[in-house]
Amino acid sequence: MIDTVSRYLAEGFGGLEGCKPVRLSDSFPLVISAGYRFYRCRLMSTDCILAVAVEGAVHTPRKVQKQLAQVEAEFGVPVVFVSKVLHPHDKERFLALRQPLIVPQRMAYLPFAGLQRDDSRRELVVNRTSLATVAQLIVLARLEHRFEATVSCRDGVELLGYSAPAVQNAFRELEYFGLGERKSRPGSRALDFEFACSGRALWDKARSCLVSPVKRVVGLAARPDSDCVVAGVDALAEHGRLNAQPPTEFATELEGFGKKGLEILSTQGAPCRLQLWAYPPTLLGGKEIDLLSLVLSLDGEKDDRVRIEIEKLLEEFAW
């Protein structure tokens, strides 16, 4: 079930990070400890707990809200109810109670992250200041000349590998942020998305809602054998900027990282650092990180030399 949830969330919210089972203390009533399977993770850069419903147990909205409020009080983080099914009349009750909820392929309601996704109605309600993963990738792909000014749902699915509903949700989100508008096309029920501008003007317009793809950084004893690329300041140096040194900073996708079985070290003093990204670092760049994702991954870099080189890179970019 957790793998199903992670794949579903990866299509719009960036997936789950560091998901591990949690055992409740013996002080909790049996109806709670036996009625759910609990997992601690990070979602949308927020620590939270997933409470996966056990089949056969009764999970009415009011009962779920009261039970999970006890878990939230114990751990001090939001608790998200996860279920395979959702009765239509229960949906509005969960929303009225503001109970975080995930039903894979149906809906996700995450008030602590400012997002609500309803796949049954093909609706995405946005109440935050940055783009989700798929929408950001569509912007970057346009800036990298992988898309024309008008992007079809099929274009997005074929290039990015996400589902059609995820791409359509991204179109709604891009329209919400004022980056363009959805338009109908003769002979197709799916709407296309037409960007309002292009090149450096699009970058400047979208910059405030684009975020670093780096979700987490871990330390490693050595570079992994596969599925990673040079990242960070080391990647900047490979583009002929700054003094090149043997690389020690790498990147890979967060999704599936936990299954690699790598020994994780503290980043402080580790021989190598591995960035875990919300999407594959080479998705738009071929064998290396695309330049604009690299720039975003260096958000917060305080070294003046690095900031100067980033500005030069943007000035020389083939907008």
Side-chain angles (χ1 to χ4, degrees):
M1 183 62 168
I2 289 298
D3 287 342
T4 300
V5 172
S6 185
R7 285 193 297 271
Y8 174 64
L9 294 178
E11 294 188 341
F13 307 120
L16 300 175
E17 178 183 345
C19 199
K20 295 182 180 179
V22 171
R23 175 181 170 83
L24 300 186
S25 66
D26 294 337
S27 63
F28 277 89
L30 184 61
V31 68
I32 297 179
S33 58
Y36 309 86
R37 297 289 179 266
F38 295 96
Y39 301 85
R40 187 149 192 168
C41 62
R42 283 180 65 81
L43 173 60
M44 300 293 292
S45 301
T46 301
D47 287 320
C48 64
I49 288 178
L50 303 183
V52 180
V54 172
E55 292 186 29
V58 178
H59 297 100
T60 62
R62 178 65 67 178
K63 183 176 291 186
V64 168
Q65 193 271 336
K66 288 184 176 180
Q67 292 172 346
L68 299 189
Q70 297 179 53
V71 180
E72 182 170 336
E74 173 74 12
F75 291 93
V77 298
V79 181
V80 182
F81 176 56
V82 180
S83 178
K84 289 183 178 179
V85 296
L86 178 68
H87 296 294
H89 61 273
D90 283 342
K91 173 185 167 183
E92 297 303 325
R93 296 178 185 176
F94 276 114
L95 297 181
L97 293 169
R98 292 186 59 78
Q99 171 58 53
L101 169 71
I102 295 173
V103 184
Q105 315 313 322
R106 289 285 305 281
M107 72 170 297
Y109 173 59
L110 306 170
F112 58 84
L115 278 174
Q116 178 181 334
R117 171 176 168 177
D118 189 338
D119 291 301
S120 63
R121 295 182 179 178
R122 298 185 177 182
E123 292 178 350
L124 181 70
V125 179
V126 182
N127 185 25
R128 59 195 184 90
T129 58
S130 61
L131 293 173
T133 300
V134 183
Q136 175 161 313
L137 281 170
I138 292 172
V139 173
L140 294 178
R142 171 59 183 146
L143 291 168
E144 296 275 0
H145 308 289
R146 305 294 297 275
F147 288 144
E148 298 297 328
T150 299
V151 185
S152 71
C153 181
R154 182 176 180 178
D155 292 337
V157 171
E158 290 182 350
L159 177 63
L160 304 178
Y162 292 94
S163 68
V167 173
Q168 288 293 332
N169 279 336
F171 287 171
R172 295 183 182 92
E173 191 174 349
L174 293 169
E175 188 173 59
Y176 171 87
F177 279 94
L179 299 178
E181 60 181 340
R182 292 177 295 156
K183 292 190 173 183
S184 60
R185 178 161 42 93
S188 175
R189 292 192 301 173
L191 296 178
D192 295 343
F193 183 80
E194 184 177 296
F195 280 100
C197 52
S198 61
R200 185 62 188 256
L202 175 58
W203 171 260
D204 292 339
K205 186 178 180 65
R207 185 63 186 90
S208 63
C209 56
L210 298 175
V211 296
S212 170
V214 181
K215 310 303 289 186
R216 183 185 173 195
V217 180
V218 299
L220 297 175
R223 175 178 180 169
D225 293 334
S226 61
D227 298 328
C228 73
V229 291
V230 177
V233 175
D234 290 335
L236 197 62
E238 286 195 346
H239 284 282
R241 304 175 185 280
L242 306 175
N243 294 326
Q245 302 288 337
T248 59
E249 186 99 8
F250 305 95
T252 191
E253 186 181 10
L254 171 63
E255 179 71 17
F257 170 73
K259 297 179 180 179
K260 297 180 186 291
L262 299 175
E263 182 181 357
I264 296 176
L265 308 176
S266 168
T267 55
Q268 211 166 19
C272 293
R273 286 161 48 94
L274 183 64
Q275 299 175 358
L276 305 180
W277 281 36
Y279 52 87
T282 58
L283 183 60
L284 300 177
K287 295 183 179 181
E288 59 184 20
I289 296 173
D290 67 277
L291 293 182
L292 297 180
S293 289
L294 174 61
V295 169
L296 293 173
S297 74
L298 290 166
D299 259 1
E301 178 62 54
K302 297 179 180 179
D303 189 320
D304 288 340
R305 296 171 301 169
V306 174
R307 300 306 310 171
I308 291 171
E309 292 304 324
I310 289 173
E311 288 305 316
K312 289 181 180 179
L313 187 152
L314 292 175
E315 289 174 4
E316 298 170 5
F317 186 75
W319 300 107

